[in-house]
Amino acid sequence: MRPALDGTNRTGGRNPFAWAEYDGLPPAVRRVIMFAPTSLGSRRARMNLLKGRTVAEVCAIERGVAIGITRRDILEAYGPDHPFLSKAHVA
């Protein structure tokens, strides 16, 4: 992630993150973002909540995104024979 140049604490990139957005999320969504195995932004979760999705749906979306990013990174680094990419983790 790259820091913003306007003096705020938000970051840009593929998964933009801002503490103000993060602090406004429900605790369950904040936990998913905080303990994800990869960097997840706050923007997608906030926008999904504003669109009317439930907290459970937003948590499921964020978990799915985290698994997808992790899977992509493992494929790039280790190839398709890595144990994480077993049938249980392939969607």
Side-chain angles (χ1 to χ4, degrees), residues 16-34:
F17 182 90
W19 282 107
E21 287 177 345
Y22 176 81
D23 290 341
L25 294 172
V29 178
R30 288 196 315 249
R31 254 188 314 280
V32 169
I33 291 172
M34 180 182 295

Side-chain angles (χ1 to χ4, degrees), residues 1 10-18 21 40-45:
M1 285 189 258
R10 62 191 169 90
T11 59
R14 180 170 281 196
N15 294 312
F17 182 90
E21 287 177 345
L40 295 176
S42 57
R43 180 78 34 89
R44 181 181 38 254

Side-chain angles (χ1 to χ4, degrees), residues 19-72:
W19 282 107
E21 287 177 345
Y22 176 81
D23 290 341
L25 294 172
V29 178
R30 288 196 315 249
R31 254 188 314 280
V32 169
I33 291 172
M34 180 182 295
F35 294 110
T38 187
S39 296
L40 295 176
S42 57
R43 180 78 34 89
R44 181 181 38 254
R46 181 176 171 269
M47 294 309 291
N48 279 326
L49 287 169
L50 289 175
K51 288 179 184 176
R53 299 200 188 246
T54 66
V55 171
E57 288 173 328
V58 172
C59 289
I61 290 168
E62 294 300 315
R63 283 187 197 105
V65 169
I67 288 172
I69 292 171
T70 302
R71 183 176 189 279
R72 181 200 65 206

